[in-house]
Amino acid sequence: MSDKKYDIIVIGGGAAGFFAALNALELNPWLRVLLLEKSNKLLAKVKISGGGRCNVTHACFEPDELIKNYPRGGRQLRTAFHEFNTNDTIRWFAAKGVDLKKEPDGRMFPVTDNSQTIIDCFMQEAQRLNLEIKLGVNVSSIEQSEEEWQVHVEGGGHFMANKIVIAVGGSPKPEGLQWLKQMGHKISNPVPSLFTFNVPNHPITEMMGLSVSNATVKIEGTKFSYSGPLLITHWGFSGPAVLKLSSFAATELAALNYKFNILVNWCGNSNQEAVKEQFIALMIKEGNRKLFNCTFNHFPSRLWKYLLTKAEVHEETKAFDLGDKKINKIVQILTNDSYTVSGKTTFKEEFVTAGGIHLDSVNMKTMESKVCHGLYFVGEVLDVDGITGGFNFQAAWSTGYLAAKSIVKSLNPEN
């Protein structure tokens, strides 16, 4: 390899690492910055995010509200979000000719609805700023001597730099972070986050594709619950309510080996008393009609019939034929429907990891390692993860920018 010395070497060509490299050069175009990526593709997650549209960020503009969407690391991200938040993200891309749009659920995408727009933007900026990129370079180790870092790569050779940015993404196994642990960093064991719940061989899976706009899913015996759209799939349950719940409870569900019970309130946050009143109002209104032919709470017809069957209501039963005992059973199913989960399924290809570099090992006001001077961490390699909806990318942009700003300041202290 080359004996050329760089000001900054970024290890990892994903969202956070690439953004850190670009912002360092924007802040000081005279820097020599090298980006190393072990694969032959840059920005792989950007490409597939949001079904190929790239969910760039979320329309949550206040840092104190933003941090609530991170099951791990939210509070520690406060400085990063004050330095670079959703408004800054929108402005940054707009300045490069990429406008973002907000969807009803708050997710923000490029107006082109194409993730390639974001990739092209980054590549054009890299060319404009003379960012040096090397693909297919797998880093085997890094070591520091005095104020200089050496980055050793597989196949022999090394690169030299004043500062190193680690942006290698989440590792599904602890072994992937062992080299950083050996340098003295504390590691939070990685576990999957953002996954769906498997309910093997359960009759409800026959209604795959049906959804309700607002349900509450609670993990039985825990404090964890989440409300939102719930989707029935051919393997069990998905949708924002489940994905966000899986994120907040990721560590606990891993400890349970993904075997646990959930309670579904198909009526959102409504309690049993409110649902019972709503159901009795339906009985009074429909009276002589068969209950199976009625509509309740805007449920899909097949789901309504399934829930009535689960409550052991005969399909010929008329609304006014129900006694108190049967009414209570229906209300119980509507508000506290129990399922046994056994296993998980990764949400599409958007694998997110909970765990990584423990935040006790990082100065979260600069993103610099507390153990190794001149070493910085950004993105998903940190024990930081957000719920679905653009929050993980926002953490990537914010930590990448903060690291870049901190490095440039340390290289040019008079500025």
Side-chain angles (χ1 to χ4, degrees), residues 106-118:
R107 292 180 302 162
M108 299 194 73
F109 296 87
V111 293
T112 60
D113 277 330
N114 190 340
S115 60
Q116 192 62 43
T117 301
I118 304 301

Side-chain angles (χ1 to χ4, degrees), residues 181-193:
K181 184 177 182 180
Q182 289 171 351
M183 297 175 71
H185 298 98
K186 187 177 176 182
I187 304 295
S188 297
N189 280 340
V191 296
S193 181

Side-chain angles (χ1 to χ4, degrees), residues 4-25:
K4 178 181 177 182
K5 184 177 177 181
Y6 295 89
D7 295 298
I8 306 168
I9 292 179
V10 178
I11 302 173
F18 211 140
F19 201 70
L22 293 179
N23 277 279
L25 285 166

Side-chain angles (χ1 to χ4, degrees), residues 350-372:
E350 297 179 46
F351 184 82
V352 173
T353 303
I357 300 296
H358 197 288
L359 303 189
D360 285 351
S361 293
V362 183
N363 179 347
M364 295 298 289
K365 292 184 178 180
T366 63
M367 306 316 300
E368 185 175 18
S369 166
K370 292 180 180 178
V371 179
C372 304

Side-chain angles (χ1 to χ4, degrees), residues 8 24 58 66 91 93 103 152 159 263 271 284 296-297 300 329 341 349 353 391:
I8 306 168
H58 197 95
L66 196 53
R91 283 192 290 264
F93 281 102
E103 301 212 331
H152 299 275
F159 300 98
L263 301 172
N271 59 31
I284 294 170
F296 182 77
N297 203 41
K329 187 164 187 177
V341 176
E349 294 176 295
T353 303
F391 297 103

